[in-house]
Amino acid sequence: MQNFTDTQWEQRGCFVYQLIAEGSVEVRSSLYVGDDNRTGIVFKKNDLMSVDLIRPSRVPGSKNGPFLRLSDNSGWVFEKKYGEIVAKQLPVDKGLWPFYVDNVPGGGASLRCHPTGSRKADNATVYQPMQLIYCDRRVVSPVTNIASYRVQGTNGWIMEKRTDNGNCILIPENKVKVGLFAFEVARGSPNIFVYNAPSVSATTKLPVSFTAGEIVVCDIIRQTPYKHGNGPFLRLYDGWGWMYEQMSDPADGRMIELPIEHGNWSLEAMNSPVGIAMRRHPADRSDCYKDHSTEFKPGVIVHCDRRIKSASGVTFYRVAGKDGWVFDLRGNNRMMKLISSKRCVKGGQVNDSRNGSWSIDFIRGLALALDLEEIEYNQTSRVISFETENNERINIYYTTRTVGTALKHPSQGATQLFRRNVSDELLKEIMQNPRVHTGKGYKKRPRIECYPFGRRTGDFEEGEYIDEEEDYRNRLLEYDREKDEIAAKEGRVLQALKAIDDKRANEAANMKAKIDQRAEEFKKIQREKEEAKMRERRQKEEAELRRRREIAEAEHRARCTCNVCYRVFVNEHAKNQHYQASHVFACDYCGEEFMSWDSLDEHQQWFDHY
């Protein structure tokens, strides 16, 4: 391929190559196919390699190259060696793919240097289970048909699923819902166990279950990517594990979602003299205690921000600023007394915590009340648009609670501002005043007119002559400045994204700490159960030993007790000696034995045996 010409320049970007040569290829430390600069890193046939620079050979007539610099800076490989094709380039898709890491309980997913292979990235980044990541490149292996994705802001890759067993490593964002959700074990259902993974296999079952009528809270609802009919799976908020909403077999029970009310409630602790302790779940059970520092003595005022009403009539409240719950009734005993109540009603109704979308009627009702003109409704894109009297456009994406406003800013010109996860109250404020400052959102820049040359005709003085070469060189300088500006902007964006990713990683690490804490609790419970079994076994063995000892002692006592005087001796020999000496009277004449002197005397008199 490789006679170097002036038009043949190196290419930079994100490229993926598949090794198609038989055997293996070892990475070189320089642009040379010889064996004296090998690095020890080896790729095998059908491995995929991530490349960030393609540099043609600059030796005229060379049959080697182009040379491919690996994106992890570990060295170089080559497309051809001595004219034989070693690796071929694969198509790489560009886009933005959000995923949740789904390798549970396998410890999440490690960032890899290449789309396939086990080499981890130098920073050894590990994404925790159910951590949200964004990917910007995709390549599909032509051998396994498994896609690998490059994580945005890095040079590392993650496969969508394992090649050995097909288990998912990444699950699309639309398969996962994040928030605070409450579920109650349905009436008549059998006990539903907790699992250490979104699975119902016996190997993942934990020794904890919830009975009919008991409530749990979860932070993730995960749709299953498999076709076994189980799920969705619910990750418990305290890190205890996973439960399922329903199973393919109705006999295995199911759970029903309960609405969670938002508001402000003040309650007084009662239950004299002990008070009440917070629970990790809205359930009155001892294994849900948080810790001893979360007990409220009688008379203490507790402020709460969430409320759940159970079918049994018990109301649970989440303590404000905490992850714990209290409740108002235990049977006929009043545990908490409600002092004040202010429920937050948004849009005339309590929000559906799981669905989270607006209805078209709700949005149109607000628009009608605020005199907004509806100008577009796109059911496919799930967006409805309105216009104000000042020609300000409001785009409402009703399924994702995203609101976009297009208006003319006094200093920035035409701008678009998008706000995500908008509450009902904020939606009303934006529809009333699209220019309201909410402190959150992101802007979409308007298009800027682009010119094909570095300088326009109007950039030059009248009569100035610019030849073709100078025009090219001026354009190159302009492009360099643009690249510097873009690099600076990219750096700022990457820094902002890194802060978001770091926050998300910290949240995932906190959940992992919860999961580890619950795992230690389970281990402690198991140890206590094993110790209790051992104590019970020892007690049974000791009781059996005592029983046998008592039987043996009773038998020994019977054998060593004199039948006449009931005196107990240490052994049978001593008893027999005593019997012969004290209780046996023999006739000297005939040798017959008698039990008393009187019997012997009577015998002697009767038979004259003197």
Side-chain angles (χ1 to χ4, degrees):
M1 164 179 181
Q2 315 281 61
N3 290 332
F4 175 72
T5 65
D6 291 339
T7 59
Q8 200 170 21
W9 296 95
E10 60 189 24
Q11 300 179 57
R12 297 176 182 270
C14 178
F15 313 97
V16 175
Y17 278 78
Q18 178 192 7
L19 187 65
I20 61 175
E22 296 296 332
S24 61
V25 170
E26 192 166 344
V27 178
R28 269 55 170 183
S29 59
S30 61
L31 287 77
Y32 181 60
V33 298
D35 296 338
D36 54 351
N37 61 347
R38 295 185 176 186
T39 63
I41 301 174
V42 176
F43 288 96
K44 299 179 181 179
K45 184 179 180 181
N46 293 323
D47 281 350
L48 304 187
M49 303 172 290
S50 178
V51 174
D52 64 357
L53 187 146
I54 302 174
R55 177 172 292 176
S57 173
R58 302 193 178 184
V59 178
S62 173
K63 295 183 179 181
N64 300 322
F67 291 92
L68 316 172
R69 188 178 69 182
L70 301 178
S71 58
D72 62 348
N73 293 321
S74 60
W76 298 78
V77 291
F78 31 82
E79 186 175 320
K80 285 185 179 181
K81 179 180 180 181
Y82 305 137
E84 294 185 3
I85 298 178
V86 175
K88 70 174 182 179
Q89 187 173 355
L90 298 180
V92 177
D93 299 325
K94 295 182 180 180
L96 189 63
W97 295 272
F99 290 103
Y100 282 91
V101 177
D102 194 48
N103 190 20
V104 185
S110 298
L111 203 61
R112 308 289 176 174
C113 297
H114 300 279
T116 61
S118 59
R119 289 193 64 234
K120 297 181 180 180
D122 292 337
N123 57 5
T125 301
V126 177
Y127 298 103
Q128 299 298 330
M130 291 295 107
Q131 182 176 343
L132 179 63
I133 62 174
Y134 286 86
C135 304
D136 58 4
R137 297 292 188 277
R138 177 177 64 186
V139 64
V140 179
S141 169
V143 177
T144 63
N145 203 32
I146 294 176
S148 296
Y149 294 85
R150 190 184 73 170
V151 180
Q152 189 181 41
T154 75
N155 287 324
W157 297 79
I158 297 180
M159 299 178 66
E160 66 175 345
K161 58 184 177 180
R162 297 173 62 94
T163 56
D164 52 357
N165 55 21
N167 288 345
C168 288
I169 298 176
L170 301 176
I171 184 170
E173 182 191 27
N174 60 4
K175 295 287 186 181
V176 178
K177 292 184 178 181
V178 179
L180 181 66
F181 314 99
F183 283 83
E184 181 182 35
V185 181
R187 300 291 174 177
S189 289
N191 289 5
I192 296 183
F193 281 84
V194 179
Y195 299 82
N196 65 2
S199 166
V200 293
S201 66
T203 57
T204 61
K205 182 183 289 188
L206 299 175
V208 177
S209 64
F210 287 82
T211 61
E214 290 186 325
I215 303 173
V216 297
V217 287
C218 62
D219 65 339
I220 281 179
I221 300 175
R222 170 194 172 276
Q223 300 289 338
T224 178
Y226 310 109
K227 297 181 180 180
H228 47 50
N230 300 326
F233 288 90
L234 319 170
R235 188 176 76 173
L236 299 184
Y237 191 84
D238 64 339
W240 220 348
W242 294 79
M243 300 179 72
Y244 55 81
E245 184 174 347
Q246 62 184 10
M247 293 277 284
S248 57
D249 186 356
D252 292 324
R254 64 189 182 93
M255 302 189 74
I256 301 173
E257 187 177 10
L258 299 178
I260 300 179
E261 300 178 55
H262 297 233
N264 296 299
W265 295 271
S266 296
L267 301 101
E268 180 183 352
M270 302 181 71
N271 192 35
S272 180
V274 294
I276 187 172
M278 276 201 304
R279 269 67 170 172
R280 295 195 302 266
H281 290 278
D284 184 12
R285 39 190 291 170
S286 60
D287 57 359
C288 286
Y289 286 158
K290 283 186 67 66
D291 52 62
H292 294 293
S293 64
T294 56
E295 296 177 351
F296 301 107
K297 299 299 181 183
V300 173
I301 304 300
V302 183
H303 301 285
C304 304
D305 58 5
R306 297 290 187 275
R307 182 170 72 176
I308 301 172
K309 294 182 178 180
S310 69
S312 63
V314 179
T315 303
F316 295 90
Y317 298 86
R318 190 183 73 173
V319 180
K322 305 286 185 180
D323 291 334
W325 297 78
V326 293
F327 51 95
D328 60 352
L329 289 175
R330 177 185 288 161
N332 295 324
N333 185 23
R334 174 69 62 178
M335 305 295 292
M336 304 283 288
K337 182 174 69 174
L338 183 62
I339 298 176
S340 65
S341 173
K342 183 181 180 182
R343 192 178 68 160
C344 296
V345 180
K346 303 180 179 181
Q349 59 183 2
V350 180
N351 278 342
D352 184 348
S353 61
R354 180 172 177 179
N355 192 4
S357 60
W358 291 308
S359 67
I360 294 296
D361 292 338
F362 168 67
I363 296 174
R364 284 174 171 160
L366 281 178
L368 182 63
L370 299 173
D371 294 328
L372 297 180
E373 179 185 358
E374 182 177 336
I375 57 176
E376 183 181 358
Y377 171 49
N378 190 324
Q379 191 172 5
T380 302
S381 301
R382 296 179 175 84
V383 59
I384 184 170
S385 302
F386 300 92
E387 191 174 66
T388 67
E389 295 179 353
N390 299 323
N391 297 324
E392 298 162 331
R393 184 184 178 108
I394 304 173
N395 300 321
I396 301 174
Y397 301 85
Y398 49 88
T399 60
T400 61
R401 286 180 171 264
T402 299
V403 179
T405 54
L407 47 89
K408 189 172 182 180
H409 195 275
S411 60
Q412 301 176 9
T415 62
Q416 292 186 60
L417 180 63
F418 290 85
R419 301 172 177 90
R420 300 182 64 182
N421 300 320
V422 175
S423 65
D424 294 352
E425 288 295 328
L426 181 56
L427 173 64
K428 183 178 179 181
E429 293 180 19
I430 295 172
M431 295 177 73
Q432 286 177 325
N433 179 17
R435 300 177 183 270
V436 65
H437 291 277
T438 62
K440 62 179 182 178
Y442 59 93
K443 292 181 180 178
K444 183 177 180 181
R445 294 184 177 274
R447 291 184 177 180
I448 301 175
E449 183 180 0
C450 297
Y451 295 90
F453 302 104
R455 293 194 292 176
R456 294 168 291 171
T457 305
D459 294 333
F460 305 108
E461 296 293 337
E462 183 177 357
E464 183 180 1
Y465 176 75
I466 301 297
D467 63 14
E468 184 179 19
E469 178 186 357
E470 185 178 355
D471 183 40
Y472 284 140
R473 296 190 184 281
N474 282 324
R475 273 197 272 171
L476 189 60
L477 288 175
E478 183 67 24
Y479 295 157
D480 285 340
R481 285 193 293 268
E482 290 177 359
K483 284 194 294 185
D484 292 339
E485 292 177 0
I486 291 174
K489 294 175 183 178
E490 184 182 19
R492 291 192 293 270
V493 170
L494 288 174
Q495 187 176 4
L497 288 176
K498 185 178 184 304
I500 296 174
D501 290 339
D502 289 344
K503 179 181 178 182
R504 192 173 289 130
N506 290 334
E507 293 173 352
N510 291 336
M511 175 53 70
K512 183 178 183 300
K514 287 183 180 180
I515 293 172
D516 293 341
Q517 183 180 354
R518 298 292 91 77
E520 288 299 322
E521 291 177 0
F522 283 131
K523 290 179 181 178
K524 182 179 178 181
I525 292 173
Q526 288 299 101
R527 287 196 301 269
E528 291 175 350
K529 287 184 177 180
E530 291 297 328
E531 292 172 357
K533 288 181 180 179
M534 291 180 64
R535 285 195 301 270
E536 183 179 0
R537 187 165 54 249
R538 285 197 299 267
Q539 291 173 356
K540 290 182 178 180
E541 291 174 352
E542 292 173 357
E544 179 65 17
L545 185 61
R546 286 195 301 271
R547 188 184 68 83
R548 292 181 179 181
R549 188 183 298 116
E550 291 173 355
I551 292 174
E553 291 176 354
E555 292 176 350
H556 176 76
R557 189 180 301 110
R559 291 194 304 269
C560 300
T561 300
C562 177
N563 295 330
V564 179
C565 63
Y566 302 105
R567 182 178 174 185
V568 181
F569 296 87
V570 295
N571 52 48
E572 290 186 72
H573 178 69
K575 183 197 75 169
N576 293 335
Q577 286 184 331
H578 158 76
Y579 183 79
Q580 293 293 332
S582 302
H583 301 298
V584 177
F585 304 94
C587 176
D588 296 334
Y589 184 84
C590 64
E592 186 177 354
E593 295 180 349
F594 298 92
M595 301 297 295
S596 64
W597 282 106
D598 293 337
S599 299
L600 176 61
D601 183 60
E602 183 179 354
H603 165 75
Q604 289 176 340
Q605 290 180 7
W606 183 266
F607 294 101
D608 295 329
H609 288 179
Y610 292 104

